[in-house]
Every structure is written in C-alpha cells, then in structure tokens.
Amino acid sequence: MAIMDIGIDLGTANTLLYVRGKGIVLNEPSVVAVRQGRKGTTVAVGTEAKETLGRSPGTITAVRPLESGVISDFDATEEMIRHFIRKAAPRRSTRIRLVVCVPSGVTPVERRALVRAAHSAGARSVYVIEEPMAAAIGAGLPVGDPRGSMVVDIGGGTTEVAVLSLGGLVTARSLRIGGHVLDTAVTDYVRKKHGLLIGERTAEDVKIAIGSAWPVPEDPGLEERTYEVRGREKIAGLPRRVELTAPEIRRALDEPVAAMIRALRETLEECPPELAGDLMEHGIVLTGGGALLPGLDLRMSSATGIPVFVAEEPLECVARGCGECVDHFDTLRDVLQEG
C-alpha cells in the first residue's frame, strides 16, 4: 500500500495541507456548512462553506469546528479533515501518515480529541507538533542550535509566544486571542460607537483595509484612509452605511493587541539570561496571519526594546514547519509526539 506523508496546519481560520514532495497543496477556510436535521448533512467545506457565513437560510448553518485552536465540534472537524485529505490523496488505497500542529497550551483531553478526529478521518498514524515549534521551523529559525530563538505566532484563534533552544520550548505562553478576537473588537466598536451591526466578514475586511497596531512611518497615508461599511442599525433595524477611519480602528484593536504584548513581556521575564542576550542580538520573529497587521512589529519592539521582524510568508510558516517534519521525518523526529 502506498504511503503518503501529510503535514496539516489545522487552524481556527484556515487549514493548510503540505504533502511530501509537493509542498503546500491546499489552503482553505476552516469552515463547514451543515444542513439542519436529525443527522446533519454536510453541504460544503472550506472555501464554498465560508461563502455561506452570514448569508445562509435557516436550514443551513456554517460553523467553524475549531475555536481557539481546539475542537469545538468533533463531527464537523472529522468531516473537514476527511474532506481535505481526500483532496490531497484521492486514492483510497493510500496509507496516510499525518503530522498535525496543536497550540502549546492545549490540555491532554483536547490533544487526544484532535488525534482521534485525525484517525477517524482516515489517517493511519498521527504525530503532533506544537505550533510555536512548527512556526519557528517554518520561519527558518535554528531551533536545534544552543542559542535562543523567539517566535510569536498569531493565528485565527490563538497567539503562541515561545522561546526555543536545542529543539525544545524553553518558556512559552498560549493566549486564546487571535485574528477572530481582533475582528470581534471591530464589530463591538462599530456597534457601540456608531450603533451599527456588522458581520464577521465585514469586520475582517475593515481590519485588513485600515487596521493597524501602531502608526507606520513607511505608510503615512494609512492615517488618512477611510472605509465605508454597510450594516443594520442597532435600534431602528434599517440598513445604514458608516465611514470608518484608520485611527479609530486602531483604538478598537488596542485591547487585544495589548494582551498579546503582555504575554510577550511575561514570556521574556521567564527567559534565562543567556538566551535573553541571544534575543537582543537576533530579535523576535512574527508569524501567522496576525503578523500582517501594520505596525504590530513596531509596537512590540517599542514595548520590549528588542528588534521584531515579520517572517517571509507568515501565513504559511506553521504549514511549512509541519512540512519540514514530513520531509525530514527521521531528522526532526525529536520535536514530534506520537498520537
């Protein structure tokens, strides 16, 4: 029987699949659309399912089966993994060896649930890697060397902060705040400040278009940009549009960004002095979708006094880290845990 090695970044917002010898072959939203009924029939998965968010009739529900990086809907997670694996390995006779990443702060029960879902979806053997380790490997950090490396991975559901050395996590924080909490902060701000109800997708569009964590010298025009949103009035219930500005969205995002920085500082406070010296020299690397928020690197650097850099292709770092483990399984076996 043919063996296929797959690395999977099973994220709250998006799922990426890396196949040995092929690279990243899939990048789709972690969304499942289910038709309501006694058993619940899956209507769509991934990109097609995301299109139904906030737009589906009452008989169809679009769900994100993972919250804060852990399973909230076991059946939907199993169906989603099975669907994505079939896309990557359409031959049913293929034996799947899966490397899947988990947040560093998951409980043993949450870890077992994820492994069980992967087995139920068709994987013959499952190995687990912690997200900050995968992100660091994918960003090209020398995690096996006797020197300190630091990564801040900001995904859809979690922020992982870790100092690594000699192939292990020296100190780490797993914060259940990520891109979705930033979107919620925008939604809450628009509701409270402007009395307008907007959806998840609109809030994400606002964040991407004019969101920032700090004034960006390289893009001074950002401060003057505006973004028009359409939604429903909170009181009258009628459709209305509002013009939002970049500075007010930065204020809306301030609380969750401040929580990320607190986690970063707490992790640094626990870092051994020798490794702290390495970080001063080599800096901190940002990965994940949240790393793309303009000014976040500058604000973190200002708060810590340490250089902060955004990794190349930050959205793909965790998947590429899983892929490195898939491609060099024997070499990187020590960073994996068998499920």
Side-chain angles (χ1 to χ4, degrees):
M1 181 181 287
I3 298 176
M4 177 175 279
D5 290 330
I6 296 177
I8 181 167
D9 172 14
L10 196 63
T12 304
N14 293 283
T15 295
L16 287 80
L17 254 67
Y18 183 106
V19 175
R20 184 173 188 173
K22 297 181 179 179
I24 295 175
V25 299
L26 182 144
N27 181 355
E28 294 197 27
S30 302
V31 182
V32 178
V34 180
R35 189 181 303 279
Q36 298 303 303
R38 276 195 307 178
K39 293 185 178 180
T41 306
T42 300
V43 176
V45 178
T47 303
E48 293 180 8
K50 187 176 181 180
E51 293 298 319
T52 68
L53 279 173
R55 300 174 183 271
S56 58
T59 55
I60 296 176
T61 303
V63 298
R64 294 188 182 273
L66 294 108
E67 291 182 5
S68 302
V70 298
I71 292 176
S72 59
D73 187 324
F74 184 88
D75 292 336
T77 301
E78 179 187 327
E79 182 62 34
M80 185 174 71
I81 296 174
R82 179 182 292 110
H83 176 85
F84 290 150
I85 286 178
R86 282 178 182 169
K87 272 194 166 184
R91 289 175 54 192
R92 299 295 180 88
S93 60
T94 304
R95 182 177 182 269
I96 303 297
R97 181 166 64 179
L98 198 64
V99 174
V100 60
C101 63
V102 298
S104 60
V106 297
T107 66
V109 172
E110 291 167 339
R111 183 189 298 260
R112 284 196 298 271
L114 185 57
V115 170
R116 186 159 64 93
H119 278 299
S120 300
R124 294 295 182 89
S125 54
V126 180
Y127 295 85
V128 173
I129 182 172
E130 292 178 311
E131 273 184 29
M133 177 63 73
I137 293 172
L141 297 179
V143 296
D145 293 355
R147 78 162 223 208
S149 298
M150 189 168 194
V151 65
V152 180
D153 179 58
I154 306 170
T158 61
T159 294
E160 303 285 325
V161 186
V163 176
L164 309 98
S165 180
L166 291 171
L169 302 185
V170 178
T171 180
R173 286 280 189 285
S174 183
L175 191 67
R176 299 205 171 181
I177 290 177
H180 288 167
V181 173
L182 297 177
D183 297 340
T184 301
V186 172
T187 303
D188 292 345
Y189 176 85
V190 174
R191 186 185 72 249
K192 293 174 183 176
K193 179 72 175 179
H194 298 283
L196 191 72
L197 304 178
I198 62 173
E200 174 187 328
R201 292 177 61 184
T202 300
E204 183 180 18
D205 291 341
V206 171
K207 178 187 70 178
I208 293 171
I210 60 172
S212 64
W214 195 259
V216 184
E218 296 83 1
D219 188 8
L222 176 63
E223 299 301 298
E224 283 75 45
R225 284 183 207 151
T226 61
Y227 191 90
E228 183 183 84
V229 296
R230 300 175 182 87
R232 180 166 56 85
E233 282 187 328
K234 180 180 175 182
I235 298 175
L238 298 175
R240 185 162 63 91
R241 62 184 69 192
V242 167
E243 196 87 6
L244 301 173
T245 67
E248 69 175 326
I249 296 305
R250 183 162 62 245
R251 289 195 298 272
L253 299 175
D254 185 68
E255 187 175 335
V257 169
M260 294 176 189
I261 292 173
R262 282 196 299 272
L264 174 58
R265 293 175 65 97
E266 289 168 3
T267 307
L268 286 168
E269 288 168 6
E270 295 179 0
C271 181
E274 291 292 335
L275 298 184
D278 294 336
L279 301 181
M280 286 296 298
E281 181 180 354
H282 301 291
I284 299 167
V285 175
L286 291 181
T287 64
L292 298 174
L293 183 68
L296 184 59
D297 54 341
L298 298 174
R299 182 166 175 181
M300 287 185 168
S301 182
S302 175
T304 60
I306 299 174
V308 179
F309 310 98
V310 178
E312 282 189 40
E313 303 294 340
L315 286 163
E316 298 181 354
C317 283
V318 173
R320 293 195 181 281
C322 288
E324 283 292 310
C325 294
V326 162
D327 288 340
H328 308 285
F329 187 83
D330 295 331
T331 306
L332 295 172
R333 180 68 180 83
D334 290 344
V335 304
L336 302 174
Q337 300 169 28
E338 189 168 2

